[in-house]
Amino acid sequence: MLSYVRLEVRRTLRDGGYAVMGVVMPVAMYLLFTNLGVGGDADFRGDYAQYSMIGMAAYGALGAALAVGSGVAEDRGRGWLRQLRVTPLHPVQVVAGRALTAGVTVLPAITAVLTAGGLVNGVRLELWQWLAAGLLLWLGTLPFTLLGLGNGYALTGQATGVVSAACMMGLSVIGGLWIPAAAFPHWLREISRWTPTARFGDLGWSVLEHHGPGLGTVSVLAGWLLVFAGYAVLAYRRGARTV
């Protein structure tokens, strides 16, 4: 299975679309949001640079996690999954291999934005905060990886790209990754609290406040993890009958 994971990681990292959408775009958006049209004093700009750094790192990781679905859908269309069924790999290993691939490919997105925050915007955190924020965001991508896998097994290649992009944009906006949820109307703030992306961002934002994620954040993310895992399993079973 490790050989399979290495193969998939190399395929993903060689994809120019992954580099642009998963790494370059989040960094560019972060620098744009934090250096153009941001008023207030130095303290406000510094706080906003930290908040946006976590939000854009989460946004990039979200995109990289969901992108695994497009690869799965393309492989279904090309007959690659059918070929894998005649290898010694168990179906569970194939799915786990894809999840591990996403676990590797989300790291550049997270690292690139955090690096831009420190080197370009002058964000200053303690060493444990840098490490904890990166680790928590990395672990927090698992529900979105399962969502991406479910899309890939349930939909065609073109439909997977459209649905994953819609999920990425919609969840990022409503979850407060682009604009702080505090600026939302009350009714939208209440909706945002229950989205997986808002709680995903909380994993990193809580570190900025010198404490770990609260029970509410962990509970909501765990609930979405179960929902997306069920979706991925059902989609895989359905896809197995059609390839």
Side-chain angles (χ1 to χ4, degrees):
M1 189 177 72
L2 292 179
S3 297
Y4 173 59
V5 171
R6 285 195 295 268
L7 171 64
E8 293 299 339
V9 169
R10 287 198 299 268
R11 289 177 61 194
T12 301
L13 295 181
R14 290 172 181 170
D15 184 356
Y18 160 79
V20 172
M21 300 302 297
V23 180
V24 176
M25 185 65 72
V27 172
M29 292 177 63
Y30 170 59
L31 297 178
L32 180 66
F33 286 176
T34 54
N35 289 283
L36 291 180
V38 179
D41 56 21
D43 289 339
F44 174 81
R45 291 194 297 272
D47 290 342
Y48 182 70
Q50 291 185 14
Y51 179 94
S52 184
M53 179 183 71
I54 297 298
M56 284 298 105
Y59 169 68
L62 170 63
L66 288 173
V68 70
S70 297
V72 168
E74 290 175 2
D75 288 347
R76 288 177 59 228
R78 296 170 180 168
W80 174 236
L81 294 185
R82 188 180 301 110
Q83 295 299 317
L84 288 175
R85 292 185 185 281
V86 301
T87 70
L89 285 172
H90 189 276
V92 173
Q93 291 179 302
V94 175
V95 176
R98 278 291 189 175
L100 288 173
T101 299
V104 174
T105 56
V106 299
L107 287 173
I110 297 172
T111 303
V113 177
L114 295 183
T115 300
L119 296 182
V120 180
N121 281 347
V123 173
R124 295 293 177 263
L125 302 175
E126 296 180 27
L127 178 59
W128 74 266
Q129 289 178 295
W130 289 110
L131 296 177
L135 177 61
L136 288 172
L137 289 176
W138 178 60
L139 294 174
T141 58
L142 181 56
F144 306 105
T145 297
L146 294 172
L147 174 59
L149 287 172
N151 289 340
Y153 286 119
L155 307 170
T156 63
Q158 184 175 9
T160 298
V162 172
V163 170
S164 293
C167 290
M168 180 180 176
M169 299 291 288
L171 289 174
S172 295
V173 173
I174 298 175
L177 300 185
W178 288 15
I179 303 171
F184 292 171
H186 176 72
W187 64 270
L188 188 55
R189 284 201 304 272
E190 290 301 308
I191 294 175
S192 179
R193 290 177 55 241
W194 297 99
T195 62
T197 38
R199 301 300 182 160
F200 180 36
D202 278 342
L203 295 177
W205 292 321
S206 65
V207 173
L208 300 182
E209 299 173 359
H210 295 81
H211 61 78
L215 180 61
T217 291
V218 175
S219 299
V220 172
L221 274 178
W224 281 108
L225 175 65
L226 293 176
V227 170
F228 292 151
Y231 170 52
V233 169
L234 291 175
Y236 177 77
R237 289 177 175 173
R238 176 179 176 275
R241 295 193 295 266
T242 59
V243 298

